[in-house]
Amino acid sequence: MKFFKTYISGKLMLSALISLGLLSSCEKDGNPNNLPDVNPADYEGKIDGYTSSDEIFPRNLVAYWSFDDTKNEVKSNTAPTQTANDSFVDGGVRGKAISLNSGYLYYATQINAFKSDSLKSFTLSQWVKITNNGSKRTMIFQIARPGIFNGSLDFRLNTQSFPATTTNTLRMNPRFTTVGGGSQDNLNSTLSPTIGADKWTHLVLKYETTTGVFNMWADGVNVGSFNNRGVGNNLFKSYEPGEIIIGGNYNTIPGKTIGTDATFANMVGQIDEIRVYNRALPDAHIRALYNLGKANK
């Protein structure tokens, strides 16, 4: 009987020691999957894990305007057909920027990246220096349709809504034409970025064709109020032929006027780093583009 008690006691103690040993082993081994060590030096100088905006989904970047002493769309080397009141200026988000003094850039050449079968989902990112004007709308980027007032995609700013002294509110009202020939839009009815003649503001449109969600971002924040635009006949379509207008629309370009609509004026302000991706970027990468741009990267 004494032996049995001793055996039981010893067995319990052994089990306890094994348990403690296992616990001790778990505490000592903080890398059970044998992952490689992280070297903090590898992340020095990086923002959100990147050293440059160029590292954000480079394979999905299908159109890019750097405005570093060139007005050409960099990926296709497409030159503008017609420009007005435009000049390169120092102090861009990265390098130089384009300044428009009631000006525009017009590209009549069809860029392959904007053909119907090439552009389904998209992210359009650009930096602007803009002010309200109290009288006219501003079109900062348009995938235009020859002979038609509304484009496949219109990035409209309601700069007519407030006077130039209002810098804490910018109403954005982007729209697109659907596969059914209709129209869908968005509006930042509650949230807004701060703007100003001397402030770079980051504006982004993001569209996912599988869900019909059309988001609008400003300075790293999703500010859109009407993001769910539907599928089926409500899906976005990039019609052909397509042209690109930066800073205006057909009714602000001499000789291209369509109808009598006079709600737009050519842009007064600056634009830099226009990037178009053929996918809806994850939210973290939109914020990364904003943070990298603030650091001139």
Side-chain angles (χ1 to χ4, degrees):
M1 182 67 71
K2 182 183 292 186
F3 172 78
F4 182 72
K5 288 183 177 179
T6 303
Y7 172 77
I8 296 298
S9 299
K11 188 175 181 180
L12 290 173
M13 182 174 291
L14 179 61
S15 298
L17 288 173
I18 290 174
S19 298
L20 288 172
L22 289 173
L23 288 172
S24 177
S25 174
C26 290
E27 290 173 354
K28 288 180 180 178
D29 187 2
N31 189 13
N33 296 316
N34 295 317
L35 298 175
D37 291 336
V38 175
N39 183 1
D42 294 339
Y43 292 88
E44 290 180 0
K46 293 190 176 184
I47 295 174
D48 295 335
Y50 297 102
T51 58
S52 165
S53 298
D54 297 332
E55 297 175 358
I56 304 289
F57 284 89
R59 293 183 180 180
N60 295 101
L61 181 66
V62 295
Y64 175 48
W65 284 262
S66 68
F67 297 122
D68 288 330
D69 290 319
T70 179
K71 303 170 194 174
N72 291 8
E73 189 283 303
V74 173
K75 304 289 285 187
S76 64
N77 201 33
T78 301
T81 306
Q82 185 177 334
T83 70
N85 302 322
D86 59 290
S87 61
F88 296 112
V89 294
D90 294 324
V93 175
R94 297 203 318 171
K96 293 188 176 181
I98 199 77
S99 178
L100 300 175
N101 185 14
S102 295
Y104 62 85
L105 307 176
Y106 166 52
Y107 301 77
T109 302
Q110 171 74 65
I111 297 176
N112 289 336
F114 296 107
K115 287 186 174 181
S116 301
D117 291 337
S118 300
L119 198 66
K120 301 289 188 179
S121 298
F122 62 80
T123 302
L124 167 61
S125 166
Q126 61 189 116
W127 291 80
V128 300
K129 284 185 178 179
I130 193 76
T131 59
N132 290 300
N133 58 56
S135 60
K136 296 287 185 177
R137 280 181 161 186
T138 302
M139 184 84 74
I140 56 174
F141 188 92
Q142 182 181 49
I143 304 178
R145 302 175 65 189
I148 301 175
F149 182 76
N150 289 320
S152 295
L153 177 65
D154 305 323
F155 200 164
R156 310 176 300 189
L157 304 181
N158 290 350
T159 46
Q160 85 286 356
S161 297
F162 301 95
T165 53
T166 300
T167 59
N168 63 354
T169 306
L170 174 68
R171 287 288 172 251
M172 298 174 282
N173 186 209
R175 65 157 299 282
F176 63 81
T177 301
T178 68
V179 296
S183 181
Q184 294 289 342
D185 64 357
N186 202 327
L187 180 71
N188 59 321
S189 57
T190 57
L191 300 175
S192 175
T194 300
I195 59 173
D198 297 318
K199 180 191 178 298
W200 282 113
T201 302
H202 187 222
L203 304 180
V204 175
L205 299 182
K206 170 183 171 179
Y207 180 78
E208 175 54 66
T209 191
T210 59
T211 62
V213 174
F214 185 38
N215 285 315
M216 179 167 48
W217 288 67
D219 286 347
V221 177
N222 188 340
V223 298
S225 301
F226 307 98
N227 296 328
N228 296 306
R229 308 319 299 157
V231 295
N233 282 336
N234 292 323
L235 291 173
F236 162 77
K237 181 176 180 179
S238 187
Y239 284 83
E240 298 177 39
E243 303 180 336
I244 300 296
I245 305 175
I246 297 171
N249 70 355
Y250 284 133
N251 281 14
T252 67
I253 299 175
K256 303 292 291 183
T257 303
I258 300 169
T260 60
D261 188 293
T263 58
F264 288 88
N266 284 325
M267 181 174 173
V268 176
Q270 297 179 23
I271 301 181
D272 199 12
E273 289 291 299
I274 300 178
R275 295 172 180 266
V276 183
Y277 300 84
N278 63 359
R279 64 161 293 164
L281 293 186
D283 293 354
H285 292 80
I286 294 176
R287 286 189 287 267
L289 282 173
Y290 169 60
N291 291 328
L292 287 160
K294 287 195 301 180
N296 304 119
K297 295 184 176 184

